[in-house]
Amino acid sequence: MTTRTEQHSSPPASAGAAVLEVEDLRVHYFTRRGAARAVDGVSFSLKPGERLALVGESGSGKTTTGLALIGQIKPPGKVVSGRVLIEGEDILAMSDEERRTRLLSTVAMVPQGAMNSLNPVIRVRDQVLDGLKDHGEKFSREEGAARVSDLFRQVGLPPAAASAYPHELSGGMKQRVTIAIAISMNPSVIIADEPTSALDVVVQRQVVTTLKAVQERIGAAAILIGHDMGLMAQFADRVAIMYGGRLVEVGLVRDIFHEPLHPYTRLLISSLPNTLKKRRLEAIPGLPPSLINPPPGCVFHPRCPRVFDRCRGEEPASLSLARDRRVACHLHDGTQH
Amino acid sequence: MTGPQAAPLLEARAISKTFVSGTLVKRRSVALERTSFTVAESPPSITAIAGESGSGKTTLARLLLGLIEPTEGTILYKGRSLANMNKVERRLFRREVQTIFQDPFESYNPFYKVDHVLTTPLSEYGLASNADEKREIVVRTLEELGLRAEETLGRYPHQLSGGQRQRVMVARALMLRPRVIVADEPVSMIDASLRATILETLRLLNRRHGISILYITHDLTTAYQIADNILVLYRGRVAEAGDIDRVINQPEHPYTKLLVGSIPQPDPDLPWGAATSAVTASQRATDTGCNFADRCSVAMDVCLESPPPLFRTNQHRATRCFVYRGSPVMESDDLSSAFVPSGDAATRS
């Protein structure tokens, strides 16, 4: 097994100047049946240019985390605690107006399902330019057209697509338009929430490859949110695994796939179908936890094959095991086995 | 035909489906073109029907279920054409050929408890003589599929997880003692940790209950894990068919190669290959030629002139591509003549 190092108190300090720092983020949804703790104490940071995969199943809190990073938690949701520092500024402490000016220019979102995020009655060119105008940019008709065709070239769209309405474009092309909008103000962080979930596998590869290429070109950090571990293996430098509103493991992509530490990560990887080897797929027994009445102790303990007494009563802290490696599991804190 | 001893259970004979749209100017779109294959009575098999959106895979599923009628060709169940069945035969067909849909939520009526969806078909087909027997069948079936009756019955659909809802639909299908199950993207809406459970459940139905499964999917990885044979559809035509091990591991058709090459493998050390696809403008699709020619990196003149037939490149494979014109043309329309018998390969344990 891995080296067991002592516990550090803070997230990896090796990050240098992090472009994004999330500290103890908690987002709860207040429902009639009680508060659902969708995000419950999430901390991580992102270096400039780094690609992070935020992986989880439905209800794990990954999409809520993504929304919190752009300050878009709406009632009945509420950010209960935590800070989201983008280039040192707390996005959660800003007024709506201040935050608006940061969207696109500092942090941009590529939404899930481009089909629904573009306005069907406006030509895509004008939708790209609207974002720029929102930020007070002034340009002539010709300059605007040139900006759009330059952005379209970067995302692999033909210039003629600019005058199309969304319904005239294929799903993959529409998703490329949303990427063009996201990079139009050179943000330092791009957040993409399942950008390819409705696309076919061939188009999916093209869109993710495009996203990676433009992200590298403008030097932005990127967070890809999703549940497809295969896609994450192809995209990310680092992987963060969410379960029941917590980050259960964070590590470099190779470490996560080749040597998963948290039992959930391990099961998630062994339950993945692939075309390399035919085998009996390992299922994860049980069901995802209730966010309103989460199980005591470790949130994964009712489904964990390696559960022991301590897991049932004590919530595991997030342990820093090595550079860029954190895991929240009692198996790895060195005091008990 | 697959041989004299294996009478076909479900048979598609050269079926095509053309949809016509528009009120004044009619537009015809061919969703499925002259496709033939059979599901044998025994041994029970798992056949994947794979393709992207617009490939015709869902049309094929709906045709086989009798939900829509073919424009040309015939579908037979136990030797009887679906189009000419009498009431008794149709009832038998409806019970013995079951389906599992993609979104388990849409298959439910939200105002009824889950029990309703399970007990109604039992009454409908007279499979239980009284309430006790009904309950016993329901409980036994749920438990066989790893669902606890006390956690499932008496609840409303929204109170179950997606994985549970899908397994309840599998339980419903299983109680009717079907011979064939058409599963249309049964795991695409299910979370990764629960996906394996559903796939193993399908395998159990096949192995233990002798049910043949047609697994309709866009996902080659899950198909590879459970199916014996595969049909790869592209814009309504079968591009490649046969033993799934061969088709996935050594794809022949340029389209299958593109699909397999686009699978994101869950291993950072196995990156996507360079895109072999580059949607080239060099070739244009023609109405007369191969329908993949406009995207094909190896297209030749002949590909624009006439549609390629299926070439029998191997005992267990058929490929619709002129690159393989050295191989004999398939002698029969029936794609299942290129299938491997299920459960044959020792690798599938």
Side-chain angles (χ1 to χ4, degrees), chain A residues 57-58 200 254 274-275 278, chain B residues 53 191 193 224-225 265 269:
Chain A
E57 302 179 79
S58 42
D200 285 322
R254 280 194 175 73
N274 61 54
T275 58
K278 206 166 264 203
Chain B
S53 42
D191 272 322
S193 74
Y224 182 73
Q225 292 299 330
Q265 295 293 353
D269 292 332

Side-chain angles (χ1 to χ4, degrees), chain A residues 83-237:
Chain A
R83 299 202 298 167
V84 173
L85 303 171
I86 298 186
E87 294 181 327
E89 291 185 302
D90 189 352
I91 208 123
L92 300 177
M94 290 177 185
S95 68
D96 288 354
E97 194 46 46
E98 273 181 295
R99 191 181 300 126
R100 239 171 87 83
T101 64
R102 301 305 193 286
L103 291 179
L104 235 50
S105 59
T106 311
V107 55
M109 184 84 153
V110 177
Q112 186 170 7
M115 299 52 196
N116 310 321
S117 66
L118 295 171
N119 188 327
V121 295
I122 298 178
R123 292 183 199 276
V124 294
R125 173 184 43 226
D126 297 322
Q127 304 198 40
V128 177
L129 293 176
D130 275 353
L132 300 176
K133 285 180 191 154
D134 255 8
H135 286 78
E137 298 230 349
K138 299 218 173 354
F139 38 78
S140 69
R141 220 183 136 77
E142 291 72 34
E143 285 165 346
R147 288 281 288 269
V148 172
S149 66
D150 179 52
L151 285 168
F152 275 23
R153 187 181 44 74
Q154 293 189 48
V155 298
L157 282 171
S163 52
Y165 289 97
H167 74 267
E168 298 174 283
L169 303 176
S170 69
M173 290 170 95
K174 274 185 273 197
Q175 198 55 278
R176 283 167 199 264
V177 172
T178 63
I179 295 174
I181 294 173
I183 62 165
S184 61
M185 295 284 294
N186 284 319
S188 37
V189 180
I190 300 172
I191 300 164
D193 187 2
E194 308 229 23
T196 60
S197 58
L199 302 176
D200 285 322
V201 62
V202 176
V203 184
Q204 168 179 277
R205 177 174 72 168
Q206 293 164 348
V207 168
V208 170
T209 308
T210 301
L211 181 62
K212 200 167 166 174
V214 295
Q215 168 262 334
E216 276 174 0
R217 194 175 313 128
I218 67 173
I223 300 178
L224 184 61
I225 300 174
H227 64 269
D228 184 338
M229 288 292 275
L231 212 54
M232 299 310 181
Q234 300 295 326
F235 180 83
D237 302 316

Side-chain angles (χ1 to χ4, degrees), chain A residues 274 276-280, chain B residues 224-225 227 244-245 347-348:
Chain A
N274 61 54
L276 308 171
K277 210 168 103 214
K278 206 166 264 203
R279 65 203 157 94
R280 209 187 150 77
Chain B
Y224 182 73
Q225 292 299 330
I244 197 163
D245 285 350
T347 52
R348 281 187 258 279

